Amino acid sequence: MLKRNFLLLLAFCVAFVGYAQKPSDEIAANPRLSAMALQAYPGPKQKVLTPAPAGYKPFYISHYGRHGSRYLCNASDYTHPLNTLLRADSLGMLTATGKEVLHKIQLMEQESHNRIGELTELGALQHKQIAWRMVKRFPEVFAGKAHIDARSTVVIRCILSMENELQQMLCLNPQLRVTHDASHHDMYYMNQSDPKLEKKRANEATRKALADWTTRNIDPTRIMNKLFTDSLYWRQKVDGKQLEKQLFDLAGALQSTELGKSISLYNLFNAHELWKLWEQDNMMWYTLFGSCPLNGGVGPYSQRNLLRNIIHTADSIIARGENGATLRFGHDTMVVPLTCLLGINGYDMQVSDFDKLADSGWVSYRIVPMAANIQFIFYRRNAADKQVLFKVLLNENEATLPLKAVSGPYYRWSDFRSHYLQKLAQYKD
């Protein structure tokens, strides 16, 4: 028994091996992490999952996943920095570095032309690989004529992400009974609109805190002087902070495209600049979607309808004694607040001092790369068993919840239902 408990603990800890470093050190070692929500899906760190308690087998998966790697969502993300540099070049105001950056952005604009916001080849591959691992890790869920019900938001990159996963699953088991849909009918939980909550989370206190931090910490001078021959020109004609942020986003977006295999923009930035620009994004995501005390911690409740759907759908599957999966495909702005609403890996934390946010453990690139996903894996001893256990995977790594575990990452579904339905009931619209 002692040996088995040690092995369970060892397997569970594997998921967190890569998180021993400080975020600043991780970004210095791997600049691609600074892209945060633009980071290409890295795949799971955890290769071996913790065995279930004796007698328990997986039978159902409930999932919410973000679309895979995409092009940037607005044409101006490419054309604004491109036009800024083209104008300077026409006046002889670009350095050799500026001309090199201009050429790279021209290539990026050409590659993304008429593909704004669309799924890239890498994005499609990411979902095929996620599906392959899901089936191989939990074959009992997908055995025989299991029913796979998939829903997507009405955005094409999400629909194609869904279809790539389903195609891969059907290749592995052609007997699967698949239903799939993308309809405004489901948007109330798949991508909930809540203007009242959005106004609360972006209140004056959070806006001021972000603005004050940016004033103290973001200085584009060095990069602007690398791009332009005349500092007076860029100070009068260019919004340096805006252009630096646009170049930072372009640098991050490259890793999701074929072009990113041959060019990079990260050589424009030093480690300190990457860190501060990432910190700025990390704080923005925290104030909008985390339990930020400056706005009353309301951000996570934007996903209250999604969490209710997860609970009610799972209850229905458990009552029928079936095996299969419910797959949902949407956006980063659902994955992050759902993670915080659930308190996965402590992401329901409240931090008032933004300078301490990252070192406190609120690290956005660990939550929401492209193709980010949350998977609930359900276990039982037989079809009539109502003492259901489950575990949660964040980006395919075993995760913790603020509940008492049965063993390792395994929790009682009854405890989950009671805890989170009570939490949802306490929130008043």
Side-chain angles (χ1 to χ4, degrees):
M1 176 62 88
L2 183 61
K3 182 178 180 181
R4 173 179 168 80
N5 289 341
F6 173 76
L7 291 174
L8 286 172
L9 179 62
L10 181 63
F12 187 43
C13 288
V14 168
F16 304 98
V17 168
Y19 298 155
Q21 282 184 298
K22 292 175 63 175
S24 55
D25 294 333
E26 288 184 330
I27 288 174
N30 181 8
R32 289 161 59 100
L33 294 175
S34 68
M36 200 197 67
L38 296 175
Q39 179 196 1
Y41 190 65
K45 290 178 177 290
Q46 187 177 10
K47 306 305 179 185
V48 179
L49 299 181
T50 308
Y56 279 86
K57 299 292 184 181
F59 70 97
Y60 173 60
I61 294 176
S62 182
H63 153 284
Y64 191 96
R66 184 192 183 192
H67 57 76
S69 283
R70 56 161 170 77
Y71 296 101
L72 294 175
C73 284
N74 296 293
S76 61
D77 294 334
Y78 300 97
T79 58
H80 188 276
L82 176 61
N83 291 335
T84 298
L85 294 181
L86 281 171
R87 188 181 309 112
D89 190 40
S90 71
L91 298 172
M93 292 294 177
L94 286 188
T95 64
T97 298
K99 290 178 181 291
E100 177 188 345
V101 171
L102 170 58
H103 177 63
K104 290 177 179 179
I105 298 176
Q106 287 174 320
L107 294 174
M108 294 184 71
E109 194 279 331
Q110 292 166 11
E111 183 188 40
S112 64
H113 188 66
N114 286 337
R115 289 191 174 277
I116 295 302
E118 292 183 2
L119 197 71
T120 64
E121 290 182 32
L122 179 60
L125 177 62
Q126 289 161 354
H127 281 282
K128 289 178 180 178
Q129 292 173 337
I130 290 169
W132 187 90
R133 285 189 293 268
M134 200 183 293
V135 175
K136 293 300 182 181
R137 281 174 156 185
F138 311 108
E140 297 92 340
V141 173
F142 300 92
K145 296 182 179 180
H147 180 211
I148 311 302
D149 182 57
R151 307 291 175 97
S152 170
T153 67
V154 295
V155 178
I156 189 62
R157 60 181 175 270
C158 302
I159 296 171
L160 289 175
S161 296
M162 172 178 69
E163 296 304 328
N164 275 279
E165 284 209 20
L166 292 176
Q167 285 179 13
Q168 181 64 71
M169 289 176 177
L170 284 167
C171 285
L172 294 170
N173 179 8
Q175 296 185 70
L176 291 173
R177 295 180 297 115
V178 172
T179 53
H180 49 132
D181 197 11
S183 171
H184 287 282
H185 175 271
D186 295 319
M187 293 293 275
Y188 77 95
Y189 72 88
M190 289 291 295
N191 190 355
Q192 182 178 355
S193 176
D194 193 339
K196 186 176 179 180
L197 184 147
E198 290 166 10
K199 185 177 180 179
K200 285 182 180 179
R201 71 189 185 191
N203 63 9
E204 183 178 350
T206 57
R207 292 198 304 270
K208 184 178 186 303
L210 282 170
D212 289 348
W213 187 94
T214 299
T215 299
R216 295 194 312 270
N217 289 279
I218 303 298
D219 181 4
T221 300
R222 191 194 69 83
I223 288 178
M224 294 301 107
N225 286 338
K226 284 189 68 174
L227 297 173
F228 301 99
T229 59
D230 186 341
S231 62
L232 184 61
Y233 170 82
W234 73 258
R235 290 182 188 279
Q236 291 182 341
K237 302 295 185 180
V238 177
D239 184 333
K241 285 186 178 180
Q242 181 187 49
L243 180 58
E244 181 186 44
K245 180 62 167 63
Q246 290 170 334
L247 294 172
F248 174 66
D249 289 342
L250 288 170
L254 267 170
Q255 62 190 277
S256 287
T257 69
E258 293 301 298
L259 190 59
K261 296 175 181 178
S262 57
I263 67 172
S264 175
L265 285 171
Y266 278 128
N267 57 346
L268 186 60
F269 303 89
N270 63 33
H272 177 75
E273 289 158 348
L274 287 177
W275 169 244
K276 289 301 177 183
L277 288 163
W278 173 80
E279 268 198 299
Q280 183 184 36
D281 272 355
N282 194 51
M283 289 181 289
M284 182 274 291
W285 280 85
Y286 179 65
T287 60
L288 292 179
F289 303 112
S291 300
C292 179
L294 295 178
N295 58 23
V298 297
Y301 286 96
S302 65
Q303 299 314 301
R304 58 194 184 276
N305 285 345
L306 174 57
L307 180 52
R308 288 191 179 99
N309 178 266
I310 289 170
I311 292 172
H312 296 155
T313 304
D315 284 347
S316 177
I317 296 294
I318 292 167
R320 295 200 300 268
E322 299 175 354
N323 68 305
T326 303
L327 309 178
R328 308 169 185 87
F329 295 86
H331 306 270
D332 48 5
T333 50
M334 280 76 251
V335 174
V336 176
L338 179 60
T339 299
C340 297
L341 183 59
L342 294 171
I344 292 175
N345 291 345
Y347 277 105
D348 55 350
M349 69 180 69
Q350 294 201 310
V351 182
S352 298
D353 186 348
F354 285 170
D355 288 318
K356 297 179 181 178
L357 181 62
D359 286 340
S360 296
W362 210 95
V363 181
S364 49
Y365 59 74
R366 295 175 185 165
I367 307 175
V368 67
M370 296 291 184
N373 58 91
I374 298 172
Q375 299 178 28
F376 290 75
I377 318 299
F378 290 78
Y379 293 75
R380 65 188 174 197
R381 287 164 293 199
N382 55 64
D385 186 11
K386 305 305 178 186
Q387 299 299 315
V388 172
L389 304 182
F390 77 101
K391 64 181 174 184
V392 174
L393 307 183
L394 176 61
N395 297 325
E396 302 179 84
N397 301 303
E398 288 172 345
T400 63
L401 291 170
L403 300 171
K404 182 180 179 181
V406 174
S407 174
Y410 293 91
Y411 300 90
R412 292 183 181 86
W413 178 243
S414 57
D415 292 345
F416 180 93
R417 291 184 77 266
S418 175
H419 177 84
Y420 288 101
L421 288 175
Q422 183 178 8
K423 183 174 182 175
L424 290 172
Q426 291 172 351
Y427 178 76
K428 305 301 179 185
D429 291 348

